[in-house]
Amino acid sequence: MHIDGNAVRIVAQDTRSSFASYDRAILDAARLSMTMLEANALSEVPARDSQIALRAIHESTGHLISARGSMVKLVGHLNSVKRRSDQAPMNVGCPGPTPLGSLQDEASEAEPAFG
C-alpha cells in the first residue's frame, strides 16, 4: 500500500506531541495533588471536602493515564500499517522525550521501543 512519506513524518511528530501533552497533564495532576495536600495542611477545610477534591484529581489522573495507554495502542497500530506499506523502511523513531527530561533515558532502557 502507498503512504506518502511526508504524511508519515507529520503523523509521527503529532504522535510525539500528543504523548508530551499527556505526560505534561499527568505531571500537572500530580503537582495538583501535592498542592491540595499542602493547602489542606494550612487550612481548615473539612476532611470530607478535601477528600472529594483529592478523589476527583485521582479519577481525572486515571483517565489521563488510560488515554495515554490508548495512544500506546495507536502507535502499535500505526507501526503495523507502516510496515505493510511502501514506507516500511522509514524510521520515524519512538514517541520521544517526556517533560521529566533525564528520567526518560532510564525509562527507555526498561521499556521496549515503539519504533
Side-chain angles (χ1 to χ4, degrees):
M1 108 182 72
H2 171 71
I3 299 177
D4 182 78
N6 288 326
V8 172
R9 284 185 282 280
I10 291 168
V11 168
Q13 180 56 43
D14 287 349
T15 301
R16 284 189 288 276
S17 176
S18 293
F19 269 99
S21 294
Y22 278 116
D23 290 347
R24 278 190 301 275
I26 293 166
L27 186 58
D28 288 344
R31 285 185 183 129
L32 179 58
S33 291
M34 291 181 352
T35 301
M36 287 296 298
L37 291 169
E38 290 170 349
N40 286 336
L42 299 173
S43 305
E44 295 180 7
V45 175
R48 182 179 189 282
D49 291 326
S50 62
Q51 180 67 20
I52 291 169
L54 288 170
R55 180 170 299 282
I57 294 166
H58 172 75
E59 288 175 1
S60 66
T61 303
H63 294 306
L64 289 168
I65 292 169
S66 292
R68 189 182 188 281
S70 295
M71 287 295 298
V72 170
K73 291 177 186 174
L74 170 64
V75 168
H77 177 71
L78 293 175
N79 280 331
S80 172
V81 170
K82 185 179 75 72
R83 280 192 300 272
R84 295 188 320 258
S85 77
D86 57 347
Q87 297 300 319
M90 179 186 288
N91 183 3
V92 293
C94 293
T98 71
L100 296 177
S102 63
L103 292 179
Q104 180 205 1
D105 296 332
E106 295 173 22
S108 65
E109 292 173 7
E111 296 181 20
F114 291 110

